[in-house]
Amino acid sequence: EVQLVESGGVLVQPGGSLRLSCETSGFAFSTSEMTWVRQAPGKGLQWVSYIIGSGTVIYQADSVKGRFTISRDNNRNSLFLQMSSLRVEDTAIYYCARVNRGQHLSMDVWGNGTTVTVSS
Amino acid sequence: DIQMTQSPSFVSASVGDRVTITCRASQGIDRFLAWYQQKPGKAPSLLIYAASSLQSGVPSRFSGSGSGTDFTLTISSLQPEDFATYYCQQAKSFPFTFGPGTKVDIK
């Protein structure tokens, strides 16, 4: 069974740092493109960052550029999001998802999300 | 960046109704368009990819159409489990962008 399980979301103060993890199983992680998407309370979906299987190509939303870093460990089948200089507006549920290039880059598998709250 | 708009933002419908949601891209995206369903408290799930291809396991009452800038998601006969919020998303270029969502509610 294909599974994505996020963790690491907590309450953090503005300006703080956090590392989210996404543990995967049931598919060829090392050759899969992955992404992070977030959803602020009561709001819509916002794409955050993307990484290819080798980790050598990365894209990020302007709103997180210079503050968030996506990475992966293919030996551990895990995806990460290192978040720094956190702002109140980064408060959201963070989802990891698999990007399926064979299906026009659609996000075909999603985790259940992990909640990040940035507040003093 | 490519902007995505959806209409309507809210639909009130009854079981058995035909529901159509429209998504428009600010520039041409070929068929790099996906539709997602999200139920309250749950993660989104993929319904349609490549504008009109049904994701495995998704009921055939869901269908998608369009290319370029204008796209449509149709639910042919609304079922109780279809009450949710629906998002379109373009994957033609980075940054990926989502539409603002359409909430389908019970009349």
Side-chain angles (χ1 to χ4, degrees):
Chain A
E1 180 191 5
V2 176
Q3 260 195 319
L4 307 177
V5 180
E6 302 94 334
S7 62
V10 292
L11 170 64
V12 61
Q13 291 191 336
S17 298
L18 201 55
R19 188 196 200 202
L20 304 184
S21 299
C22 172
E23 293 187 15
T24 77
S25 59
F27 65 100
F29 178 75
S30 64
T31 57
S32 295
E33 298 163 60
M34 301 294 296
T35 195
W36 287 97
V37 173
R38 68 183 181 183
Q39 186 169 36
K43 302 298 184 182
L45 302 171
Q46 181 187 25
W47 173 77
V48 173
S49 192
Y50 158 97
I51 188 169
I52 67 170
S54 65
T56 56
V57 177
I58 288 170
Y59 292 97
Q60 292 180 288
D62 285 346
S63 58
V64 305
K65 209 166 285 185
R67 300 188 302 121
F68 292 8
T69 302
I70 191 172
S71 64
R72 62 193 298 155
D73 184 338
N74 288 343
N75 292 320
R76 292 165 53 192
N77 293 329
S78 293
L79 177 73
F80 305 101
L81 187 67
Q82 180 68 46
M83 310 164 71
S84 62
S85 302
L86 282 161
R87 305 167 180 168
V88 170
E89 55 264 35
D90 295 319
T91 295
I93 299 172
Y94 285 74
Y95 298 101
C96 64
R98 184 177 73 178
V99 177
N100 191 325
R101 180 161 290 275
Q103 293 187 355
H104 278 56
L105 298 176
S106 59
M107 302 172 194
D108 67 341
V109 184
W110 293 67
N112 288 327
T114 187
T115 299
V116 173
T117 304
V118 184
S119 174
S120 55
Chain B
D1 297 2
I2 298 174
Q3 308 302 318
M4 306 299 292
T5 58
Q6 285 181 237
S7 62
S9 55
F10 182 85
V11 173
S12 184
S14 301
V15 172
D17 284 354
R18 182 182 184 89
V19 172
T20 299
I21 300 169
T22 296
C23 175
R24 177 164 289 175
S26 61
Q27 57 188 270
I29 58 171
D30 299 323
R31 296 177 65 82
F32 285 86
L33 191 283
W35 289 97
Y36 302 88
Q37 177 192 66
Q38 187 178 34
K39 297 181 181 179
K42 301 295 186 182
S45 63
L46 178 65
L47 294 174
I48 301 284
Y49 63 92
S52 62
S53 296
L54 197 65
Q55 174 67 354
S56 176
V58 174
S60 59
R61 62 181 178 273
F62 290 93
S63 64
S65 65
S67 67
T69 59
D70 294 310
F71 303 86
T72 298
L73 173 70
T74 299
I75 310 171
S76 60
S77 177
L78 200 65
Q79 298 302 300
E81 59 269 30
D82 301 337
F83 292 96
T85 300
Y86 295 84
Y87 296 92
C88 61
Q89 177 245 327
Q90 69 80 18
K92 174 66 174 176
S93 65
F94 289 97
F96 289 166
T97 43
F98 290 88
T102 295
K103 184 175 182 180
V104 178
D105 210 345
I106 302 172
K107 182 182 285 184

